[in-house]
Amino acid sequence: MAVTVETDVLVVGAGPCGITLANLLGAYGVRALLIDRDTTILDFPRAVGIDDESLRTYQTLGVADDIVRDMIQNTPIRYYTSWGRCFAHVKPSEKPFGWARRNLFLQPLFEAALRHAVTRFPNVDVRYGHELVSLHQDDDGVLADVRAVEGETVHVRARYVVGADGGRSTVRRLIGVELTGATAPVKWLVVDVKDDQLRAPFSAVYCDPVRPVLVVPLPYGHRRFEFKLLADEDEVAISALPRVLELIRPLYRATPLPTVLRARVYLHHSRVAAVFQKGRVFLAGDAAHLQPPFFGQGMNSGIRDATNLGWKLAAVATERAAPELLDTYDVERRGHAAQMVGFATRIGRMYSPRSRITERVRDLAFRGVFLVPGGKEYILQMKYKPMPRYTGGVTVGGRNAAKDSPVGRMFMQPVIQHSGGGHGRLDDAIGPWFAVIGIQLDPRDHLSPQLVAWWDALGARFVRVDDAVARPGGDSRPDDGLIRIEDVDGAFRDWLLSRPEAEVVVLRPDRYVAAVTDRAGLEQATATLRAMINAQAVPVPPG
């Protein structure tokens, strides 16, 4: 007998993107149902790297400190020529978003931690061993049929559906969205080992026109190898243990060989969905975009999707925003996802130069970059990584902003001192939702009572940042909810010195800058954001 379940959001797929989105919806108080066809976590070669942007999302969820304990943090990368010279050593030491920029992990451990974390939320129903069969949209929501492994059918009535169900997405197929792009004709062998004793605490890329090799150290004595297959090599034969040991033996020399866990052959895809939204159904993660693993951003791009979509679904589901807000998901995410796919594809070409001549040209080009002022820092700190910049969507003046404008970019996360006297990261002090941050001012002093009430109804927090060990005087409202923090790192001081007009910063829940203004422009910036988010959906008392 079929049963019927009602929910606000049905999330299909419990991989990193889907389980992250389910956690976010849980934290935001949204009713959600998460399903996945598999009953256990997949145990085969997948992602191995997570960046600082993603860790910031898990900080919002209160689990970042737990999951980083199982990670190797801030791992450098060395790039070698085919004749053995290290032509680039990337070792990012800066933490602009509060976390190390490059971290290595074991995905099964990571996913297990997130699956455990989602059990904290009574508003999130998780059902493994459940597969989406069909879905139909109407004006009020989506009706989906879900089949359990035992054969039971569940009718799900949801306001919205998110397909985070991988590259072969059932959701994408059911809504008729094409995945455009190409699949590289070359195959790669991915090998995972354990009991690794190799003393090489860095990732290595051996760029070679014939057989490039990637080597990645992983936690708890694990290591990942990736070998490009030659045109005449059989994928079954090369995956066999004797051949795998032949491939990895030269890298170990006198070091004992590790235990091979698994070896699989993969094709690399460079594809992006034609749209990320169709009516009430959204695509995220690998269901929306696929990229080669050369820059380790496939999973991280999916986490960006979840972080972007999560707060928008929450704002609409809790009736603090109008449904039109959800249209900005495609506007903001699809362009950057395509940019990352293209970037990873180009990085792959650098790993496998067409010839020795091409390799020599690339080597000389890198030497030239290091001679340019700032060039070495550009490489060492991974500043070549394409960062999202949302010029459309929920930003004020993003389309007309200067190229170096902070609007539409992720905001810094310095160490601050909060009112209790302790030090901590910015996000922990200001909370997980909207924040209106005044630098050496209280933003409410420059807003009408009506717009202050609108921010309050939206759930935003007002924040005042002062210089370190400052004791601001003249505050007439010392205990009315204003968050006071001190700039112990000097990050806000430097921010204001470089842009004196940027006295107020409006942060979105995903920590992207929605608006930057001086005190005189805060009223207009708020009115513009109110129109974007749709104030009619928010009960605001008359001014």
Side-chain angles (χ1 to χ4, degrees), residues 311-325:
W311 74 265
K312 295 173 181 178
L313 284 168
V316 173
T318 56
E319 298 186 347
R320 287 180 283 184
E324 289 77 10
L325 175 68

Side-chain angles (χ1 to χ4, degrees), residues 253-473:
R253 299 181 182 176
T255 303
L257 289 175
T259 302
V260 175
L261 287 173
R262 62 189 71 86
R264 294 169 67 105
V265 173
Y266 284 87
L267 285 168
H268 292 162
H269 306 280
S270 300
R271 297 182 180 273
V272 181
V275 293
F276 283 15
Q277 175 188 4
K278 201 163 187 180
R280 291 175 172 269
V281 182
F282 303 85
L283 299 174
D286 285 356
H289 43 79
L290 294 167
Q291 61 181 269
F294 301 119
F295 196 57
Q297 285 294 304
M299 186 194 76
N300 290 290
S301 290
I303 294 169
R304 289 188 197 100
D305 295 342
T307 308
N308 186 289
L309 184 57
W311 74 265
K312 295 173 181 178
L313 284 168
V316 173
T318 56
E319 298 186 347
R320 287 180 283 184
E324 289 77 10
L325 175 68
L326 296 172
D327 297 339
T328 65
Y329 170 63
D330 182 272
V331 170
E332 293 185 347
R333 284 300 309 137
R334 184 154 53 91
H336 182 258
Q339 186 182 14
M340 289 303 303
V341 169
F343 183 76
T345 304
R346 292 191 297 274
I347 287 286
R349 297 192 189 110
M350 182 188 77
Y351 289 1
S352 184
R354 290 192 300 270
S355 66
R356 302 292 181 195
I357 295 175
T358 305
E359 189 179 8
R360 291 284 185 182
V361 171
R362 181 212 57 210
D363 191 41
L364 290 172
F366 267 86
R367 294 189 187 193
V369 168
F370 286 149
L371 295 175
V372 174
K376 186 174 183 179
E377 188 75 1
Y378 180 79
I379 298 296
L380 287 177
Q381 302 302 328
M382 289 180 65
K383 294 181 179 180
Y384 51 84
K385 171 186 169 184
M387 293 295 296
R389 183 193 176 194
Y390 303 139
T391 56
V394 189
T395 61
V396 176
R399 294 190 187 281
N400 301 317
K403 189 175 181 180
D404 61 348
S405 170
V407 174
R409 301 181 191 274
M410 181 170 276
F411 193 59
M412 63 183 177
Q413 186 180 198
V415 173
I416 53 85
Q417 179 171 303
H418 49 73
S419 57
H423 289 191
R425 298 182 181 94
L426 174 67
D427 294 356
D428 294 332
I430 66 177
W433 199 241
F434 282 91
V436 185
I437 302 174
I439 304 174
Q440 299 179 13
L441 59 84
D442 181 344
R444 298 171 300 178
D445 292 338
H446 308 282
L447 288 169
S448 68
Q450 183 182 24
L451 290 181
V452 170
W454 178 76
W455 279 121
D456 284 338
L458 187 63
R461 294 185 177 182
F462 291 99
V463 182
R464 173 170 180 149
V465 182
D466 283 292
D467 292 336
V469 298
R471 296 291 181 267

Side-chain angles (χ1 to χ4, degrees), residues 172-323:
R172 190 182 65 238
R173 175 178 58 81
L174 289 174
I175 62 175
V177 172
E178 182 183 2
L179 200 61
T180 62
T183 296
V186 178
K187 297 177 181 179
W188 286 71
L189 174 70
V190 179
V191 179
D192 283 343
V193 304
K194 67 175 183 177
D195 305 324
D196 176 70
Q197 299 180 44
L198 188 63
R199 182 57 189 162
F202 53 86
S203 295
V205 182
Y206 298 94
C207 304
D208 188 277
V210 179
R211 190 185 312 269
V213 180
L214 284 67
V215 185
V216 184
L218 297 175
Y220 306 120
H222 290 245
R223 194 173 290 269
R224 160 76 54 86
F225 298 89
E226 300 188 27
F227 300 90
K228 182 180 177 180
L229 267 65
L230 307 182
D232 59 347
E233 286 182 317
D234 178 74
E235 61 182 88
V236 175
I238 201 170
S239 303
L241 182 60
R243 183 68 178 117
V244 169
L245 293 175
E246 284 181 23
L247 289 170
I248 68 174
R249 186 172 284 111
L251 296 164
Y252 282 85
R253 299 181 182 176
T255 303
L257 289 175
T259 302
V260 175
L261 287 173
R262 62 189 71 86
R264 294 169 67 105
V265 173
Y266 284 87
L267 285 168
H268 292 162
H269 306 280
S270 300
R271 297 182 180 273
V272 181
V275 293
F276 283 15
Q277 175 188 4
K278 201 163 187 180
R280 291 175 172 269
V281 182
F282 303 85
L283 299 174
D286 285 356
H289 43 79
L290 294 167
Q291 61 181 269
F294 301 119
F295 196 57
Q297 285 294 304
M299 186 194 76
N300 290 290
S301 290
I303 294 169
R304 289 188 197 100
D305 295 342
T307 308
N308 186 289
L309 184 57
W311 74 265
K312 295 173 181 178
L313 284 168
V316 173
T318 56
E319 298 186 347
R320 287 180 283 184

Side-chain angles (χ1 to χ4, degrees), residues 483-497:
I483 297 173
R484 290 173 171 80
I485 59 178
E486 292 188 4
D487 182 24
V488 295
D489 270 0
F492 285 95
R493 173 204 63 209
D494 296 343
W495 164 278
L496 207 56
L497 284 172

